Amino acid sequence: MKTEILEINDESLALAAKIIREEGVVAFPTETVYGLGGLATSDKAVRAIYDAKGRPADNPLIVHVHPDYDISSLVETEYPYAEELRKKFVPGPLTLVYKSKGKVSPLVSAGLDSLAVRVPSSEGAQKFLRAVNCPIAAPSANVSKHISPVTAMHVYEDMKGKIPLILDGGRCSGGIESTVVDVTTPTPLILRSGLITYDMIKSVAGGCEYAKHKEGDKIKSPGVKYKHYSPNCKTAFFARERASDAVEEYERARREGFDPVVVCDDAVGRTLGVRYIGLGKTSEEYASNVYYALHLAEAQADYVIGIGVEGDSQVDVGVMNRLSKACNKEE
Ligand code: AMP
Ligand code: MG
């Protein structure tokens, strides 16, 4: 299959809508990362998404709709605080997990009775979702366990020959995946951290908890148990206070013939005296740059050494989660 990359315009949107109607798969940009979209009501389309990604069938997908889509046709919107969260943060990088009405393919929820729904804020995503005007199941448009894509070329590297069309909306601004929040319980539960933080949710909903997974628990968000986001090469991860060990590892690797690069925040990078890719100076910059930097690192080096970022922002929780999972093979 030939994979086309097209700018977003009336023509490419008409083509995207046609492919979606025919139960095919289209990659599209959002403000977080690129998504791999298919008709959520079609078993065939959803299966094609899992196949293209090589994603385990027990890891559910998020359904994406445009801002005027009536989500009450898809889910039970039980708790009033969920409405408050929607008023404040939707459209945006927030996915809410509701009790499903069973209106989409059961493959989307991977056997759970819940359904995750997101309304992206980016113009490209909304144009695509309006053009198709139906719920679109979409995980990140990377091969399972590889780094999430934040440019059309990142998608192309993983998806060439597997899907017919990538809509190119430039580089994603947010840079990390949406915050996933379970709203089926009296207090909202963060299943995955992102740019909408614990404090932001708590200030609107009155309460908020992080989901904790103890051994033997039924996992609420199966995605979190999988290793994610990894460069296709050797990796290592060091906490920020162990930056000197990271430099030692860098030097040792070079003596062994590797061509390593360090990924870390700018302030630490400047002190190391080694080749590094800087994530920026603020938490928002770290988030926006983390996947882009990991893609660059993978292209430039054969060994990626991550050093933890550490600011006072809760966005750093989400960035650290991505960076440590990417670079820590043990996790
Ligand atoms: P990705 O598609 O790569 O952005 O990952 C989607 C994330 O949302 C994964 O961590 C999933 O486990 C989570 N997710 C999707 N649907 C549900 C659901 N119904 N209940 C809980 N978590 C979900
Ligand atoms: Mg993903």
Side-chain angles (χ1 to χ4, degrees), residues 38-275:
L39 206 54
T41 48
S42 157
D43 288 349
K44 184 180 167 203
V46 176
R47 216 171 270 127
I49 295 171
Y50 279 100
D51 283 353
K53 265 186 85 77
R55 182 171 184 133
D58 67 345
N59 190 359
L61 309 181
I62 295 169
V63 164
H64 295 67
V65 292
H66 63 70
D68 299 322
Y69 194 90
D70 179 12
I71 64 160
S72 68
S73 64
L74 299 176
V75 293
E76 312 274 0
T77 54
E78 216 175 336
Y79 291 100
Y81 74 77
E83 173 65 20
E84 298 304 314
L85 289 175
R86 281 198 299 277
K87 272 194 214 145
K88 184 83 181 171
F89 303 120
V90 173
L94 177 66
T95 296
L96 298 176
V97 176
Y98 303 92
K99 192 167 181 308
S100 177
K101 286 190 174 169
K103 294 287 161 32
V104 300
S105 161
L107 302 174
V108 173
S109 295
L112 301 172
D113 55 11
S114 56
L115 186 68
V117 181
R118 184 163 103 80
V119 183
S121 63
S122 82
E123 199 189 335
Q126 291 194 1
K127 279 185 174 164
F128 167 67
L129 292 167
R130 285 190 196 282
V132 297
N133 196 27
C134 49
I136 293 295
S140 51
N142 53 289
V143 164
S144 191
K145 301 190 175 62
H146 191 219
I147 312 160
S148 295
V150 292
T151 67
M153 276 317 289
H154 293 162
V155 179
Y156 186 73
E157 282 158 23
D158 275 16
M159 292 297 152
K160 61 176 174 281
K162 296 184 189 168
I163 62 171
L165 176 61
I166 300 168
L167 291 173
D168 187 351
R171 184 170 158 186
C172 303
S173 57
I176 58 173
E177 300 90 343
S178 58
T179 306
V180 180
V181 178
D182 182 352
V183 295
T184 65
T185 53
T187 304
L189 206 56
I190 296 183
L191 304 178
R192 175 172 76 185
S193 298
L195 290 167
I196 307 293
T197 63
Y198 174 94
D199 282 351
M200 291 159 82
I201 292 163
K202 192 171 177 189
S203 72
V204 170
C208 185
E209 283 166 28
Y210 283 106
K212 297 245 170 13
H213 299 290
K214 294 195 279 337
E215 216 164 313
D217 278 2
K218 189 171 185 300
I219 290 191
K220 274 217 159 187
S221 188
V224 299
K225 76 181 178 205
Y226 291 106
K227 189 174 157 44
H228 266 75
Y229 331 121
S230 262
N232 290 323
C233 63
K234 188 173 161 66
T235 59
F237 181 77
F238 294 87
R240 204 171 192 266
E241 59 274 15
R242 290 188 59 213
S244 58
D245 293 341
V247 172
E248 222 168 87
E249 176 59 12
Y250 177 97
E251 301 298 356
R252 194 195 60 74
R254 277 175 51 106
R255 284 194 299 277
E256 275 187 14
F258 282 99
D259 182 19
V261 69
V262 171
V263 174
C264 60
D265 65 68
D266 291 7
V268 161
R270 276 196 297 272
T271 67
L272 298 176
V274 302
R275 177 161 77 123

